[in-house]
Amino acid sequence: MQLAQITGSINTLCQFKGEWFVHHTHKRTHGMIHFVTNGEGWLQIDKQVPQMLKTGDLIVLPRSIEHILSSDSLCNNTHAHIDSHQQGAFTIKSTHHGSQELNLFCANFAYEPHTDLFNGLPEVLYLDGQSEEFQHIISLLKHEALENRAASEHILNSLLQILLIHILRHYFNQPQAHLSGVLNGLQDKRLRGVVSAVLAQPAKEWSVEHMSEQAHLSRAQLMRLFKQHIGMSPHAFVNHIRLQVAAQLLRTTADSVLQIALSVGFQSETHFGKVFKKQYGMPPGVYRKSTEESKECSP
């Protein structure tokens, strides 16, 4: 979660009646969550067969794949006008005529493009939001939407983090969960310990022999399982995680590039700069500057 550098909020409340249609285009390094609190509607993912939405449905789109929400079972454009206004920290989207009803909360969030957390998930996650922990979050969201009290935006930002944690917990526990990369490595019982250890202490000197001992595997077994489940060698995995920690530090601290390089386990600024540019497409200093400029341009 920390390496993903998530920003965003559960910031939209949809209150639809009658005919309505909402088209969401694909957005890179952006995720969306739709949580149905009441009523029925239809969801079409990337021009596939539409599916009915009902109370308690929790739809997660880690990479904001193109999708349509509609009152129409074919998800055709109804041309119905949707009103939109700001109410405290929420954007309220509504239609006011008709008997068919759908209410849902929506979250929008952005994240670091190279993060493993969302890149390792499928395009769509379907979850049952009727469990107790999800219903507690919905109760808090409804309270914030009705009361419109001070600091509501900060509460909604925190609730997004909590909601994402519960979503990931529930999905990881599903027998049919489809994961890739580091997330897939964490799911494998033989690799879970060593992957977790590297995530906890990426700056440690992780030789293949040390990682083999940590996993209670032979060197050959470790190499094979890393390639099979994570798609990279143990050495590449360690550097991959170190670079993500470095990217986070570049965005959140004033430490020099050399300080950051040494703190995450690289032996020289030159080597760090080379591998960072290979993964992120720009030198560390440029990455930091681009982040600062994006903050200055944000409202």
Side-chain angles (χ1 to χ4, degrees):
M1 291 287 289
Q2 290 178 331
L3 297 180
Q5 302 183 49
I6 300 163
T7 58
S9 179
I10 308 171
N11 53 11
T12 304
L13 172 58
C14 297
Q15 299 173 321
F16 296 141
K17 289 185 178 180
E19 295 185 343
W20 48 271
F21 177 95
V22 181
H23 179 209
H24 293 281
T25 58
H26 169 71
K27 293 182 182 179
R28 185 173 175 269
T29 67
H30 177 274
M32 294 192 73
I33 302 170
H34 300 302
F35 199 156
V36 181
T37 60
N38 183 54
E40 294 181 350
W42 294 87
L43 168 71
Q44 184 179 39
I45 303 289
D46 195 29
K47 301 180 176 61
Q48 297 175 16
V49 176
Q51 306 173 58
M52 176 174 275
L53 292 175
K54 61 185 184 303
T55 302
D57 283 350
L58 180 55
I59 314 299
V60 186
L61 303 110
R63 291 176 292 282
S64 288
I65 190 171
E66 182 180 6
H67 62 287
I68 291 169
L69 296 167
S70 177
S71 58
D72 178 59
S73 61
L74 299 177
C75 287
N76 291 323
N77 195 335
T78 61
H79 302 291
H81 175 71
I82 295 178
D83 293 324
S84 181
H85 69 276
Q86 202 68 25
Q87 181 175 301
F90 282 99
T91 298
I92 309 295
K93 295 183 178 182
S94 59
T95 55
H96 306 285
H97 304 291
S99 57
Q100 183 175 331
E101 183 178 4
L102 178 76
N103 295 326
L104 70 157
F105 284 100
C106 301
N108 292 272
F109 57 95
Y111 50 86
E112 160 56 48
H114 298 85
T115 182
D116 295 296
L117 183 61
F118 296 109
N119 291 336
L121 294 171
E123 292 290 357
V124 188
L125 279 63
Y126 299 96
L127 298 172
D128 181 1
Q130 301 279 26
S131 64
E132 186 177 7
E133 55 266 50
F134 288 133
Q135 289 304 305
H136 284 320
I137 294 171
I138 284 295
S139 296
L140 288 169
L141 288 171
K142 290 179 178 178
H143 178 76
E144 290 301 315
L146 289 172
E147 294 295 327
N148 190 19
R149 300 175 68 182
S152 181
E153 183 177 348
H154 296 291
I155 291 176
L156 297 179
N157 292 346
S158 298
L159 283 175
L160 171 63
Q161 301 280 337
I162 294 168
L163 178 59
L164 283 171
I165 289 170
H166 284 302
I167 285 169
L168 293 169
R169 281 179 176 176
H170 274 253
Y171 186 71
F172 291 169
N173 287 330
Q174 291 183 0
Q176 71 274 23
H178 297 288
L179 303 169
S180 61
V182 176
L183 296 183
N184 195 36
L186 282 168
Q187 287 295 87
D188 186 87
K189 293 179 180 179
R190 296 161 295 182
L191 293 180
R192 185 179 302 153
V194 68
V195 170
S196 297
V198 173
L199 285 168
Q201 295 181 291
K204 192 173 177 179
E205 188 175 342
W206 289 105
S207 66
V208 175
E209 288 73 19
H210 186 192
M211 295 174 75
S212 299
E213 292 175 6
Q214 179 85 28
H216 304 291
L217 297 168
S218 70
R219 180 189 175 98
Q221 285 176 312
L222 186 78
M223 298 286 286
R224 178 179 59 81
L225 289 172
F226 261 82
K227 282 287 188 181
Q228 179 183 342
H229 293 284
I230 301 180
M232 63 183 78
S233 70
H235 175 73
F237 166 71
V238 172
N239 277 349
H240 179 68
I241 298 302
R242 286 174 174 174
L243 290 173
Q244 290 185 61
V245 176
Q248 182 190 16
L249 293 173
L250 285 166
R251 283 189 165 178
T252 59
T253 74
D255 293 347
S256 70
V257 173
L258 176 59
Q259 286 175 309
I260 290 173
L262 296 176
S263 72
V264 300
F266 289 96
Q267 300 303 308
S268 74
E269 183 176 348
T270 302
H271 179 223
F272 168 65
K274 183 178 179 180
V275 294
F276 188 94
K277 184 177 180 179
K278 184 177 180 180
Q279 181 158 312
Y280 286 82
M282 64 186 79
V286 176
Y287 178 86
R288 168 176 272 168
K289 187 177 180 181
S290 67
T291 302
E292 292 170 349
E293 289 175 350
S294 66
K295 287 180 180 178
E296 291 173 1
C297 294
S298 62

